[in-house]
Amino acid sequence: MTDLKNVWLDADPGHDDATAIMLAIHLDNINLLGVSTVHGNGPAICSASNAARCLHAFGAPKDVLVFPGAVKPLIKKARHDPEIHGADGLGGVVGLPSPESVEVQARFARHPDGTPIHALEGMSRAIRDTWKNGAGRKVSVVSCGPMTNIALFVSVYPELLDGVEQFVFMGGAVGLGNRSPVAEFNIICDPEATQIVLDAPVKTIMVPLNVTHMAIATNEVHSKLRNPSDPSLTNNGDLPLPSSALRHTLSTLISFFADTYRATFGFNEGPPLHDPLTVAYVSQPELFKSQRYRVDVELHGIHTAGETVVDVWHYRSCDDSWGANGKNCLVTESVQVERFFDMLSECVSKCDKISPLNLST
């Protein structure tokens, strides 16, 4: 019998966040409890509506809802990434429902008076109700954006940390960056929040750029996504026609992301799918090679603020605990790329059978 893993997903959709949401919905051994949203790739209001649009488009169970969260970092000013993700976080994506549609609005968690249930309340309630003070099961908290909501949860609900199986986050890097010479976007957006989470007494797994840059959505991957029955390029070298409305929408997501990564970072083979690797880790950690290190975040450096400082030479004396005094982070170092894309392809096929996008055509 499949070992079902309870997951709370925190995200800032975001093209690659959208694929992470789809995986969390359709992987057989993932039980998605809810989605909280945070500032990041776009303004927080866009993150929330994009998550709700994805839940509807990907056919999530009706009780999987969106819980809007932090609109700014703990200390710094909010920053966004329209150069990569467009003004609303999902630039260029065709076919998703309007944020104002009834179906999308129904995806927001609300109190009886109609006011939204926010991230901290939703996350804490889900973990409390699932953990049941030790009588139930723990929850994996997955972060695909800046870690502001997660840091607030750690700070406000320390009594619930025993109910957290692990924090799994996409972010950081070892020796490189993408929004400074050494800092990755999710971390540089709120470095203080990341440090709070790294200091929490909970097992923490980091999926850095070094690994996510291996998961490239090449033309071969893109072609299979568009039409798995006939993934060959046309005589003119064009991608095959998409075989469904859902696959057309996912293709526009990949195409926009490919164009911005080519223009900004020189990725000519295709864009890296960063965020879904976090969900893939929870589902199948055996796909990854990992090593445990002490990891801290540079908070004040003029040239290095937001850098994840991975103590690969074990300079700092640490104990065996997770958190402030220990080797606090399991850093993934590689992923079995072909198996990851097989996982993604299987989830797209499952989604294709139930997506409302296909039913409306």
Side-chain angles (χ1 to χ4, degrees):
M1 183 177 178
T2 301
D3 181 22
L4 195 63
K5 303 179 181 185
N6 297 301
V7 168
W8 184 273
L9 181 61
D10 190 80
D12 60 336
H15 297 72
D16 48 335
D17 305 73
T19 57
I21 291 171
M22 189 188 65
L23 280 187
I25 294 168
H26 291 288
L27 282 169
D28 288 338
N29 66 339
I30 297 292
N31 176 34
L32 182 59
L33 301 174
V35 178
S36 53
T37 56
V38 66
H39 65 90
N41 289 324
I45 190 171
C46 295
S47 295
S49 64
N50 287 343
R53 296 164 79 198
C54 288
L55 288 180
H56 173 72
F58 300 151
K62 297 297 185 184
D63 60 348
V64 177
L65 301 173
V66 173
F67 299 78
V71 302
K72 62 181 293 295
L74 297 178
I75 296 174
K76 300 183 181 300
K77 293 181 179 180
R79 60 184 292 170
H80 309 303
D81 209 0
E83 184 180 23
I84 300 298
H85 292 282
D88 70 348
L90 284 178
V93 180
V94 175
L96 292 178
S98 164
E100 291 77 29
S101 68
V102 172
E103 296 85 358
V104 170
Q105 289 300 310
R107 288 291 180 171
F108 285 96
R110 300 185 189 277
H111 293 288
D113 65 359
T115 57
I117 302 175
H118 290 288
L120 280 191
E121 184 178 352
M123 190 187 313
S124 61
R125 181 190 300 171
I127 293 171
R128 183 183 292 111
D129 292 349
T130 305
W131 174 231
K132 298 177 182 175
N133 201 28
R137 303 193 66 183
K138 294 190 177 188
V139 176
S140 292
V141 177
V142 174
S143 172
C144 294
M147 298 182 75
T148 314
N149 289 333
I150 316 300
L152 291 170
F153 168 78
V154 166
S155 302
V156 175
Y157 294 100
E159 74 278 7
L160 292 180
L161 292 180
D162 283 344
V164 177
E165 180 77 29
Q166 56 193 350
F167 291 122
V168 182
F169 72 96
M170 188 276 126
V174 185
L176 70 153
N178 64 1
R179 275 299 173 250
S180 88
V182 294
E184 182 272 334
F185 178 77
N186 287 341
I187 309 303
I188 203 171
C189 278
D190 199 343
E192 289 80 10
T194 306
Q195 188 65 58
I196 287 172
V197 177
L198 287 167
D199 282 340
V202 176
K203 181 179 181 180
T204 301
I205 293 92
M206 171 174 155
V207 184
L209 292 178
N210 312 71
V211 175
T212 66
H213 282 180
M214 299 177 182
I216 303 297
T218 62
N219 270 352
E220 181 181 1
V221 170
H222 194 169
S223 296
K224 187 175 180 181
L225 181 148
R226 282 171 69 97
N227 192 335
S229 299
D230 185 13
S232 302
L233 297 177
T234 68
N235 292 334
N236 295 326
D238 296 328
L239 295 167
L241 291 174
S243 57
S244 71
L246 169 75
R247 290 179 182 276
H248 174 65
T249 293
L250 292 174
S251 176
T252 63
L253 181 154
I254 296 294
S255 294
F256 184 90
F257 209 29
D259 288 345
T260 60
Y261 255 80
R262 184 182 302 110
T264 304
F265 297 117
F267 277 60
N268 293 319
E269 299 301 314
L273 295 188
H274 307 281
D275 292 330
L277 291 176
T278 56
V279 179
Y281 180 90
V282 176
S283 176
Q284 294 187 37
E286 65 274 12
L287 297 185
F288 295 79
K289 179 182 176 183
S290 306
Q291 184 72 34
R292 188 172 173 181
Y293 295 108
R294 176 70 204 184
V295 179
D296 292 285
V297 181
E298 177 55 60
L299 303 179
H300 306 296
I302 295 174
H303 304 293
T304 57
E307 178 182 10
T308 44
V309 181
V310 181
D311 187 8
V312 296
W313 299 114
H314 310 293
Y315 280 112
R316 176 171 169 176
S317 178
C318 295
D319 58 32
D320 290 332
S321 66
W322 298 100
N325 298 312
K327 288 186 179 180
N328 58 347
C329 195
L330 192 65
V331 180
T332 60
E333 298 178 331
S334 64
V335 60
Q336 296 180 42
V337 174
E338 186 173 345
R339 289 182 63 187
F340 164 70
F341 279 116
D342 286 344
M343 173 191 291
L344 180 66
S345 179
E346 289 172 9
C347 286
V348 174
S349 294
K350 292 176 184 177
C351 187
D352 212 13
K353 296 176 180 177
I354 66 169
S355 172
L357 301 187
N358 296 337
L359 298 176
S360 63
T361 59

